[in-house]
Amino acid sequence: MQISISDFDSMIKRVTLVGKLDIMGAEVIGLPLAAVAGARGNIVVDMAGVDFIASIGIRHLVMAAKAVARGAGKLVLLSPTPMVTEVLLVSGLEQLLPIVRSEDEARAAFAGAGSA
Amino acid sequence: MREVPESSVPASTGSKTITAETRTFEADRVEAANIDEWIGTVGRQWGENERAIFAARLCVAELFANVIEHGEAQAGRDHITVTLTRCTDGIGVEFLDTCARFDPTARVIAEQPDPRASAAISGRGLMLIRAYTKELAYHNDGKYNHITLKIAR
């Protein structure tokens, strides 16, 4: 699992994940994702490169989304693969972890959300 | 050479076993990638569809994470043995471990765990296993936890 953090735009952070979000992947993303979420600004998590996700990985995304929400921000998941999307939907997390399919859709999702 | 217990994958009514593969791993988190790659390799060798392979990987990943996180696993002492069975009606998985007893069939979970609940999120992994399987069984023979499940094709 690889994680990189960059600016999506001046008010939004992009977190790009590549690899398996399993027990080992979750260890890799835990601290850096929590650090970005702690700033409580809006976050786009680019999931296009994540080919596997398990509940332990979902846990970190949920924790990050909650941290961001405490600052009135929002976290969205950009372009997860169909099988990763199915896991997220089965988990019933559409509200807390909204899925968007394009960068424009991501920007639209943040309209109205805080941008601390 | 480690003793590998006899498989106890239950045969569904009308289900026939075509072939099976078994492998034993240390109960150590660093084995996660090896287990996952092995399941993917076996599934593709059998010509299984990608969703069924993904489901098998997911269920085993959840069981493995449970053993590591909650099963008091000790690397070098505990191990797990996974048997994949290619059946006429899907992929059978038997997951044996020598760690603390855990019966996934006995746990009552909410249909959809509350996303506002604490970060512990106990039950989400179990919910995923149930969502991706059509059969789930458990027994403990005094030495091993035996969890068996069936993934539809």
Side-chain angles (χ1 to χ4, degrees):
Chain A
M1 168 57 67
Q2 293 177 326
I3 179 170
S4 59
I5 297 160
S6 57
D7 289 330
F8 184 81
D9 66 21
S10 60
M11 305 296 284
I12 303 169
K13 287 291 184 187
R14 176 196 291 265
V15 176
T16 303
L17 304 179
V18 177
K20 295 175 187 172
L21 207 34
D22 59 1
I23 190 169
M24 297 301 286
E27 279 188 4
V28 172
I29 72 164
L31 281 176
L33 182 59
V36 177
R40 300 188 178 184
N42 291 325
I43 298 175
V44 174
V45 180
D46 189 336
M47 298 283 287
V50 175
D51 57 13
F52 182 81
I53 190 167
S55 63
I56 198 163
I58 295 172
R59 180 189 307 174
H60 286 284
L61 296 174
V62 167
M63 288 191 299
K66 287 180 178 176
V68 169
R70 282 194 287 274
K74 196 169 184 177
L75 180 152
V76 301
L77 305 180
L78 175 61
S79 300
T81 66
M83 281 190 267
V84 169
T85 297
E86 182 181 356
V87 174
L88 293 164
L89 294 178
V90 166
S91 299
L93 293 166
E94 306 95 308
Q95 301 280 322
L96 190 62
L97 298 172
I99 293 169
V100 296
R101 293 291 166 193
S102 68
E103 295 191 355
D104 285 344
E105 199 179 328
R107 288 189 183 88
F110 293 125
S115 53
Chain B
M1 186 73 173
R2 187 170 272 141
E3 174 194 352
V4 177
E6 201 168 310
S7 173
S8 60
V9 176
S12 310
T13 305
S15 174
K16 290 182 180 174
T17 296
I18 299 169
T19 187
E21 297 270 351
T22 297
R23 188 167 288 190
T24 296
F25 303 88
E26 293 295 321
D28 187 324
R29 64 181 59 234
V30 300
E31 289 276 51
N34 294 332
I35 298 170
D36 191 58
E37 286 173 23
W38 175 68
I39 296 169
T41 299
V42 171
R44 282 186 284 278
Q45 282 174 350
W46 288 350
E48 293 291 344
N49 68 63
E50 284 300 319
R51 190 189 179 279
I53 295 170
F54 185 93
R57 292 169 59 203
L58 177 62
C59 291
V60 171
E62 295 297 347
L63 294 172
F64 181 73
N66 185 70
V67 162
I68 298 298
E69 299 275 301
H70 307 296
E72 300 161 17
Q74 286 185 22
R77 182 197 70 180
D78 292 307
H79 61 276
I80 65 165
T81 297
V82 181
T83 298
L84 301 175
T85 305
R86 188 178 193 205
C87 307
T88 51
D89 63 343
I91 300 175
V93 176
E94 182 180 45
F95 185 97
L96 278 62
D97 71 79
T98 53
C99 303
R101 290 183 182 228
F102 172 72
D103 181 357
T105 67
R107 289 278 302 274
V108 176
I109 56 172
E111 279 296 309
Q112 296 289 339
D114 185 348
R116 296 164 299 180
S118 85
I121 316 180
S122 61
R124 177 158 291 121
L126 188 49
M127 187 188 73
L128 289 172
I129 290 172
R130 290 182 182 175
Y132 278 85
T133 57
K134 62 176 186 175
E135 295 171 20
L136 180 63
Y138 169 85
H139 78 274
N140 183 290
D141 64 8
K143 183 176 180 184
Y144 288 91
N145 292 301
H146 294 243
I147 297 170
T148 56
L149 53 90
K150 177 71 68 71
I151 293 157
R153 190 170 287 122

